[in-house]
Amino acid sequence: MTTHKTGTREEWLKARLDLLEAEKAHTRQGDVLAQRRQALPWVRIDKGYRFDTDAGSASLKDLFGGRSQLLVYHFMFGPDYKAGCPSCSAIADGFNGFAVHLAQHDVALWAVSRAPLAKLQAYKKRMGWSFPWASSYAGDFNFDFNVAVTEEQQRKGGTEYNYQRNHPLNAKEVPPPILEFATTCGTDWAGFSRDRPGMSAFALEDDAVYHTYSTYARGLDGIWGMYPWLDRAPKGRNEQGPWWRRHDEYGAR
C-alpha cells in the first residue's frame, strides 16, 4: 500500500489545474530570463585562442563553422585524466541529438577540454559520440573562462568560479563524491578539482568574436537532459548523492 497521498480523479484534476497555473508562470519567467541573457552586453575577444581539433589547429572563430553563434560546453577532462568526468559525460550524452538541430539554426555546438586531443578522441569513440570536441591543451582558454586553475592557484585560493571567489582546498575538505569521481577519472582529488564544468556562448559579427554568456554549477541543470525528465517522474530526482555513471558502466537493470 502506498504511503503517498491518494485521491479521486476529480481531486487530481483540480490539483493538476492549480499546478498548471504555477507551471505557466514558471515558463513565462523562464522566457523573461532568456531575454535577459540575450540582452547582456557583449565583450569582444581579441585574444588568439588556438585549439586542436579532428581537422587540425583551429581558432575560436573557426569553431563557428560559418555560423554566427557558438555554444561551448567546458567538459571536465584534465590533461592527467584517463576518462572524462562522469557528470560531464552524462550531460554530453545528449549532444549528438542536439548538435544537428542547432547547426540548422545558425548555432555551432562544441565541447572543449584541456586534455590532449588523442585522449578526447579515444574517449569519444568509447562513448559513441559524434559531436565536435576540441582540445585547449597548453592554452589559456579554460583558465580565462574560469573553468581551470593551476596547482599554485589551487593551493593559494582566490580564483573565481560561478562568479564567486574560491578559498584554498585541502584534502580534509574534499567531499566524498569528488574523491569517488576522481578515482573513476584515474586521477586524485587535486588533479580532478583543477578542472570545472561550465558553458559559454559566443557571437560572430563583422568578423569579430564576442563573449555573450557563461554559466556554471547548477546553472548547467537546464542542459542536463535527464533532470527535466526526472523532475516529472513520480519520485522526482530522489537522490541522496551522485548515483549516475558513464552510460557504459551501468549494470543490467
Side-chain angles (χ1 to χ4, degrees):
M1 176 69 78
T2 181
T3 58
H4 192 85
K5 179 182 178 181
T6 62
T8 64
R9 177 68 181 180
E10 290 74 20
E11 290 170 333
W12 179 89
L13 183 58
K14 182 181 182 303
R16 179 65 187 94
L17 291 174
D18 288 343
L19 175 61
L20 181 60
E21 288 304 309
E23 287 179 331
K24 288 182 176 180
H26 179 74
T27 299
R28 289 190 289 268
Q29 179 61 23
D31 293 339
V32 171
L33 289 175
Q35 292 169 0
R36 291 182 63 182
R37 290 187 197 105
Q38 294 151 23
L40 286 171
W42 293 1
V43 179
R44 179 168 174 148
I45 296 177
D46 293 315
K47 195 167 186 176
Y49 296 112
R50 302 298 302 182
F51 305 89
D52 293 325
T53 75
D54 293 346
S57 180
S59 66
L60 184 59
K61 188 184 301 183
D62 292 333
L63 300 188
F64 283 80
R67 299 175 179 85
S68 71
Q69 301 163 87
L70 169 66
L71 300 178
V72 169
Y73 181 72
H74 302 289
F75 194 118
M76 287 179 64
F77 200 138
D80 60 343
Y81 287 29
K82 293 181 173 58
C85 165
S87 298
C88 289
S89 298
I91 291 174
D93 276 334
F95 292 177
N96 281 359
F98 299 147
V100 63
H101 297 287
L102 293 172
Q104 296 303 313
H105 202 59
D106 195 33
V107 180
L109 173 64
W110 281 79
V112 173
S113 300
R114 288 199 304 132
L117 182 62
K119 280 190 176 184
L120 304 182
Q121 290 171 327
Y123 189 67
K124 183 176 174 179
K125 182 177 180 181
R126 169 188 164 183
M127 294 289 100
W129 293 333
S130 60
F131 59 83
W133 199 351
S135 169
S136 59
Y137 182 71
D140 296 332
F141 183 76
N142 292 61
F143 297 98
D144 289 351
F145 285 89
N146 300 314
V147 289
V149 297
T150 65
E151 291 185 49
E152 182 180 7
Q153 289 173 327
Q154 189 177 46
R155 286 194 303 272
K156 292 183 177 179
T159 55
E160 181 183 293
Y161 181 66
N162 200 23
Y163 308 103
Q164 296 179 333
R165 305 300 287 178
N166 290 186
H167 67 279
L169 188 64
N170 61 62
K172 294 180 180 180
E173 297 176 312
V174 179
I178 298 298
L179 296 174
E180 178 185 348
F181 281 175
T183 299
T184 72
C185 290
T187 184
D188 59 14
W189 70 266
F192 179 78
S193 301
R194 283 194 286 274
D195 284 84
R196 300 151 177 190
M199 70 81 55
S200 294
F202 304 89
L204 178 61
E205 193 167 291
D206 296 329
D207 206 39
V209 176
Y210 298 88
H211 175 222
T212 68
Y213 176 75
S214 287
T215 191
Y216 311 93
R218 287 293 304 275
L220 299 171
D221 276 14
I223 63 170
W224 196 329
M226 66 190 180
Y227 274 131
W229 285 98
L230 285 175
D231 288 342
R232 288 155 177 81
K235 295 182 181 179
R237 300 191 180 190
N238 191 32
E239 53 190 4
Q240 287 76 47
W243 51 271
W244 56 89
R245 301 289 183 268
R246 300 176 184 89
H247 65 243
D248 63 351
E249 293 175 341
Y250 290 113
R253 186 169 183 177

